[in-house]
Amino acid sequence: MIPVIIDTDPGHDDALAIMLAVKSNFFDIKAITTVAGNSTIENTTRNARYILKLLDREDIPVYSGALKPLKQELIQAVVHGKSGLEGIDPKNEALLTNNAVEKIISIIKSNPDITIITLGPLTNIAQAILQDPETMKKVKQIVSMGGAIKVPGNKNRVAEFNIFVDPDAADIVFNFPVKKTIIPLDACNNVQLQIEDFEKLKGTDLYEPVIKMMKPYIKNIGENEGVFAALMYDPLTIYYLINTKVCVSKEYDIKIETKSDLTRGMTVAELRNITKKFNVRVVEKIDKESFKKDFIQILKGNMFSTKLSQTAGVK
Ligand code: BDR
Ligand code: CA
């Protein structure tokens, strides 16, 4: 089991990512920390607690963090609806703790070599870096869903949502000297699930809530992004750690655009062949058939009855 903190803003795909992480038994989840992004901090924290209750894993601590990006106002996502989890719209208490940054730092102090997984804007992680850079340097790696390298953005022409929401935080994280990996739109756009895929969960406790969540998610993505499918951004980020061998990745030198209105949040990669200084590993492709198969098997609780997919050529 690899020790992790999951920093997240649930969100439909964040919810699936938490399910995948928990059900895989691959991670020792020290905490889930929440951030404003897809919805307000009240909603993302409420939704995180709802998912853990659904999974019967309320023993995993949830700590709430940033209410808004470092320097800008929060711009919420559209595709997750007002509650952040349209279709379910949980009513449980959010129970804000407002201490995600302190908890991230203290967990790292007692678990150096931990992996931080981020599935939302990078506000909490940037604040932890500003507060205690020496401790933050001890982490094994930061693995983030975010960025659009050689494909268009999903929030403006060039930026991916998580980076767009808090480009100043992303700038701090991308410049910080620890090992970083991103799972950008380049890899995520290729993996699209339909209701028929989720129907395979029939007979499990997760079937009903997942179908309820995915119907509006697919409809909203279709209406807003022109793709009628469930995009698996955050689950793919978890899957990268579970089954790295079906992923293709490469190192890049990437800077974040923080100032321009037109290109706010762009992950600007040095694509000329002139640099040998790389700051981020970029996952460019994830084998979609392997993901689909393993994702369903893991959510069904069959992790140990089926071996993870192996693939020679990533499709
Ligand atoms: C990212 O933005 C959010 O809407 C999703 O949860 C995902 O983390 C995709 O751009
Ligand atoms: Ca997210």
Side-chain angles (χ1 to χ4, degrees):
M1 278 197 169
I2 67 166
V4 294
I5 295 171
I6 302 178
D7 190 77
T8 177
D9 62 337
H12 294 88
D13 58 322
D14 302 73
L16 296 183
I18 294 170
M19 291 177 189
L20 181 64
V22 167
K23 298 286 272 184
S24 70
N25 291 321
F26 192 81
F27 304 98
D28 173 11
I29 306 172
K30 300 288 183 195
I32 289 190
T33 52
T34 56
V35 63
N38 283 327
S39 192
T40 61
I41 192 68
E42 286 83 4
N43 285 339
T44 61
T45 308
R46 170 182 298 113
N47 296 345
R49 290 192 194 282
Y50 166 81
I51 297 297
L52 288 179
K53 186 167 172 35
L54 196 64
L55 292 163
D56 202 17
R57 285 302 308 271
E58 286 167 291
D59 56 299
I60 299 174
V62 176
Y63 304 117
S64 69
L67 274 74
K68 61 188 272 304
L70 292 185
K71 298 187 185 167
Q72 322 210 15
E73 289 311 309
L74 175 65
I75 299 176
Q76 299 178 32
V78 181
V79 297
H80 305 277
K82 204 159 177 278
S83 71
L85 216 48
E86 187 181 341
I88 299 276
D89 306 304
K91 299 282 178 287
N92 53 293
E93 294 283 331
L95 299 173
L96 298 186
T97 62
N98 302 313
N99 59 354
V101 174
E102 291 69 25
K103 289 291 181 183
I104 289 170
I105 292 169
S106 72
I107 292 170
I108 296 169
K109 279 187 177 152
S110 41
N111 303 272
D113 230 27
I114 198 166
T115 292
I116 298 183
I117 303 173
T118 74
L119 308 176
L122 289 157
T123 322
N124 289 340
I125 310 306
Q127 279 178 347
I129 289 172
L130 293 173
Q131 231 176 80
D132 191 343
E134 288 316 310
T135 298
M136 290 301 285
K137 273 184 202 152
K138 297 195 175 116
V139 304
K140 179 172 179 195
Q141 57 178 341
I142 301 176
V143 177
S144 301
M145 191 285 130
I149 311 306
K150 296 177 189 167
V151 297
N154 63 355
K155 194 59 198 175
N156 63 23
R157 293 178 184 204
V158 290
E160 179 280 327
F161 179 82
N162 289 339
I163 310 293
F164 170 87
V165 170
D166 198 344
D168 301 290
D171 187 41
I172 291 169
V173 175
F174 275 61
N175 281 318
F176 193 63
V178 296
K179 183 178 168 198
K180 294 173 287 292
T181 302
I182 58 168
I183 292 72
L185 298 184
D186 307 54
C188 299
N189 289 345
N190 188 38
V191 185
Q192 304 179 0
L193 268 63
Q194 300 294 342
I195 285 295
E196 300 80 85
D197 295 302
F198 300 108
E199 285 290 340
K200 296 187 183 132
L201 293 172
K202 207 163 200 155
T204 71
D205 291 350
L206 293 179
Y207 173 71
E208 202 189 305
V210 167
I211 296 285
K212 271 192 186 164
M213 276 183 229
M214 287 303 111
K215 283 186 176 164
Y217 183 54
I218 292 172
K219 180 170 168 279
N220 293 343
I221 291 182
E223 284 167 5
N224 291 283
E225 295 175 28
V227 179
F228 282 89
L231 289 164
M232 292 288 104
Y233 310 109
D234 297 340
L236 284 165
T237 305
I238 301 291
Y239 187 63
Y240 163 72
L241 285 163
I242 297 176
N243 201 5
T244 310
K245 66 179 179 305
V246 300
C247 306
V248 175
S249 67
K250 193 178 156 192
E251 284 192 303
Y252 282 91
D253 166 16
I254 294 179
K255 297 205 184 323
I256 308 294
E257 173 57 55
T258 58
K259 302 208 167 55
S260 157
D261 282 340
L262 184 63
T263 58
R264 163 181 166 166
M266 183 177 183
T267 35
V268 186
E270 176 57 271
L271 298 176
R272 298 170 298 175
N273 201 11
I274 56 170
T275 180
K276 292 199 167 45
K277 264 185 70 193
F278 305 113
N279 61 341
V280 188
R281 176 162 289 278
V282 174
V283 177
E284 298 187 306
K285 206 143 196 208
I286 300 180
D287 183 70
K288 61 179 170 208
E289 297 309 327
S290 300
F291 172 80
K292 280 189 189 180
K293 184 166 157 275
D294 294 338
F295 175 73
I296 296 294
Q297 288 306 318
I298 293 171
L299 257 58
K300 281 174 99 169
N302 291 345
M303 176 65 180
F304 295 110
S305 56
T306 16
K307 278 199 3 221
L308 283 170
S309 295
Q310 302 219 18
T311 182
V314 172
K315 288 185 281 292

